[in-house]
Amino acid sequence: MPPIKKNKKFTTKGEINSELRFNARSVSRGVAIGNVICLHGTKRQFYRISITNEEVESELMRLRSAVQLARKQLKKIILTKTDKAKETKTGIFEAHQFILEDKSLITKIENSIINNKFNAEWAVKSVIDNYVAQYKTIEDEYLRERYIDLEDVAERILAALGGGRFSKVSLEKDAIIVAKEIRPSTLIELGETSPRAIVAENGGWTSHTFILAREMNLPAVAGIKGILRRVHNGEMLIVDGYNGQVILNPNNETLSKYQLAAAQFQQISYEGIDEKVRQFKTLDGKEIIIRANLDLPHIYKQAKKFGAQGIGLYRSEFLFNQYKGFPSEQEQIKAYQQIARMVGQDGVRIRTFDLSVEQLADEAEEKEKNPALGLRAIRLGIIHRKELRAQFRAILQASYQQNIDIVLPMISDVSEILLAKQLLQKEKDYLKRKKINFGNPKLGAMIEVPSAVLVIDKIVEEVDFLCLGTNDLVQYLLAVDRDNESVADWFRTLHPAVITAVKRVLQAAENKGIPAVICGEMAGSPFYAPILIGLGAKELSMNMHSILRVRKIVTGVAFEEAYNLVKKIENCRTSDEVEEKVIEHTQQNWAHLFQNEIFPSLKSYAKK
Ligand code: PEP
Ligand code: MG
């Protein structure tokens, strides 16, 4: 590990600042030491970069094209919104247009690029922040509230900046990203320059950003209120993703303790791992298939070494980040063929785009109050049918002589499956007419909405397999936003309702004789895996970095013991009771399997 410069911070009295500790929620394991980079923005996330004299001109060009694009977008929105009901909305967008036409505002931003050598994003933020601060002091309430329009305009310019060439994103090697919230697309972009860790105010274990962080083996913690106000760019930070701790400006003693832990974390131990083994059995001979959930397909090779037998869940919406919008049919064919070739006979299950309306191009136009309950996943596919059909066509063609299956996200009703089957048939007919080769992918449904659990006996009649998405299932069963830090304590994976739902779905698949794969984060937890096995799970699909730990558990427990555990928890009334029983049973029977885990206690597993 390269040496890290310790940043001394002096108080006004000349004393060195002592270390500060923050308690956080661990959302990705590992330890890292580095220097803070504060990340700002929501849709378009960015941080301060100092540009050189030579880069000023191109940065000005980026800004001007972004402003141009933003103006065009607003014009289009205003022109298309003609009906009476939308008059108020149009008024808002006209106000935005007015702000964007203000030459003095744009000149100020340009001057900030020229004089301060700020990247365009930072110049937009700092100038508009200044305006916003002034507006907030205005006494007149109506005028004061106009700061919201300014923020919206800033957001629109920043989003437009994202469409153009990116101003160089090269984080320093030891960067620790600190943000209120980090979008998965931002993490993918920043991931290319290998940050050390992430610290966020919002998000939970099952947030996509942190699922991705774990896939990237990037330590992460969340849940520190106001963290952006408490740290500054360049300050030294330790992130302890095992114990949920963040230490700002550590003293020498703390630093040397953590340097050792950080170095250990960098070296994954492959000891005792047989790379050829991909079939796992419990001690009493029940076979459990382990698959990988992959959002970054290039890492399948590594997942396979760990023991993955194919990809149980490929979240195709990650292509959306890469192409900054719906990828074309040809782009999709190429991407899917690439994954299918990598995976070979073990196969890949491609989930159709699980997007929310917010992630589509013009977000300012279509904000939803409850995106998780809104036009999302299969519902969005039904509305944006052209895109869903293009995706079906792409998957059909890519599956020619390849092992690819299709999964439909967020199914809440059998009719959605029937419609998807009709559309799929239409695309098959079309390809046949055009004499284009295509395969015959199996069709599965994600079970993650309570209504799907309640009609599961009807669903199994219409699909070839089930994928149990426990992340959303917990969210929707318990009405707890999986991304909202303030309700994280209500996100109880071991709630009796969750156990009952999982059991019911596995039973329905068993009765019908079709496979059911558990692909939520629950499957990747060594603590939960025995419960799933006891409930009848035969396929677990998980984050690549969970495979070694889960495989050790799968092969170290007997089905009978897992079944006995399920019998003990089945009559519990509360999540607490279930957790207690699981901890007790794990300690009595499987403590040896958890011996090398760095997590402080089994209790911390129970909270995931
Ligand atoms: C789930 O909901 O459990 C799941 C696997 O899908 P995602 O995490 O992408 O919503
Ligand atoms: Mg889901």
Side-chain angles (χ1 to χ4, degrees), residues 206-208 211 293 295 313 315 317-318 351 354 376 409 446-448 467-476 482 518-522 541:
T206 60
S207 297
H208 278 140
I211 291 177
N293 287 353
D295 306 314
L313 175 67
R315 294 178 169 97
E317 63 273 13
F318 277 78
R351 182 173 73 186
D354 187 352
R376 196 196 130 177
M446 291 289 298
I447 305 301
E448 37 193 4
C467 280
L468 224 149
T470 52
N471 307 334
D472 275 321
L473 188 62
V474 176
Q475 157 163 276
Y476 293 129
R482 62 195 261 195
I518 317 258
C519 60
E521 290 306 291
M522 196 176 177
S541 189

Side-chain angles (χ1 to χ4, degrees), residues 161-221:
L161 276 167
R165 183 189 59 78
F166 213 161
S167 72
K168 66 172 183 200
V169 187
S170 50
L171 290 173
E172 294 200 5
K173 269 245 162 322
D174 55 355
I176 292 189
I177 306 166
V178 180
K180 195 168 163 59
E181 197 170 312
I182 303 176
R183 297 175 76 92
S185 52
T186 310
L187 189 58
I188 290 175
E189 268 170 26
L190 295 177
E192 284 168 24
T193 54
S194 310
R196 283 263 165 100
I198 49 185
V199 177
E201 188 167 326
N202 294 331
W205 184 263
T206 60
S207 297
H208 278 140
T209 302
F210 299 121
I211 291 177
L212 198 58
R214 295 197 289 278
E215 193 168 320
M216 294 161 124
N217 213 23
L218 199 60
V221 295

Side-chain angles (χ1 to χ4, degrees), residues 516-581:
V517 56
I518 317 258
C519 60
E521 290 306 291
M522 196 176 177
S525 156
F527 184 70
Y528 297 145
I531 306 172
L532 296 173
I533 293 171
L535 286 167
K538 293 178 185 152
E539 280 189 43
L540 305 175
S541 189
M542 65 199 69
N543 199 297
M544 171 180 100
H545 292 286
S546 298
I547 296 177
L548 293 184
R549 302 162 67 241
V550 172
R551 124 181 200 179
K552 183 172 153 197
I553 302 294
V554 166
T555 53
V557 305
F559 171 74
E560 205 190 326
E561 292 170 322
Y563 182 75
N564 288 340
L565 168 60
V566 167
K567 284 272 145 268
K568 281 186 197 167
I569 60 177
E570 256 175 355
N571 293 321
C572 290
R573 294 165 309 164
T574 65
S575 316
D576 284 339
E577 281 177 28
V578 179
E579 275 171 23
E580 268 169 40
K581 289 245 173 342

